[in-house]
Amino acid sequence: PGIVRMRGQVGSPSLTPIVAAAVGLSSFSCLPVREVGVTTNALGEFSFDSTPPGRYLLRVRRLGYQQVRETFQLRPDCGVVATALLVQHKMVLDDCGLTYQERRVPWWKR
């Protein structure tokens, strides 16, 4: 009793679904605060089943977009349907590389 379902959709301002966005849900009711997460499907949809009532922080992230954060109260008598619109972030991703240096360890120090 008192367990509800939270669901929602993530899209761009043009209402195009955003696939593989990370959606995190953190409860302020339990300490330490732990975040559970899901990713959006091909339609930009996500859901959290069996969510107990309480105060939550919803965080939506996707590379290349600005993060969205919102707090809300989840009541036992109703579910939540959330819509998050992510705006593209003007960040530049540079090429990444990996370099390493081999160090020989003398046999007497092994």
Side-chain angles (χ1 to χ4, degrees):
I3 301 295
V4 294
R5 180 174 185 218
M6 186 196 162
R7 62 186 175 91
Q9 187 171 19
V10 178
S12 67
S14 65
L15 301 181
T16 303
I18 296 179
V19 180
V23 182
L25 189 63
S26 301
S27 172
F28 293 110
S29 303
C30 59
L31 293 173
V33 175
R34 291 189 339 213
E35 181 175 281
V36 294
V38 296
T39 56
T40 57
N41 63 17
L43 299 175
E45 300 169 334
F46 66 90
S47 68
F48 293 95
D49 297 325
S50 303
T51 308
R55 193 164 153 244
Y56 288 91
L57 169 69
L58 180 71
R59 189 165 62 156
V60 182
R61 298 172 291 169
R62 178 74 166 102
L63 187 62
Y65 293 89
Q66 292 182 1
Q67 174 178 263
V68 172
R69 297 165 53 115
E70 185 65 44
T71 58
F72 63 94
Q73 182 74 29
L74 189 57
R75 299 191 187 336
D77 56 347
C78 63
V80 171
V81 178
T83 302
L85 297 178
L86 298 184
V87 177
Q88 285 190 327
H89 193 274
K90 295 180 179 168
M91 59 190 258
V92 177
L93 297 177
D94 293 330
D95 289 336
C96 296
L98 174 67
T99 60
Y100 68 94
Q101 180 180 10
E102 185 176 331
R103 296 186 72 194
R104 293 203 174 263
V105 178
W107 62 269
W108 62 87
K109 289 187 178 181
R110 292 184 193 169

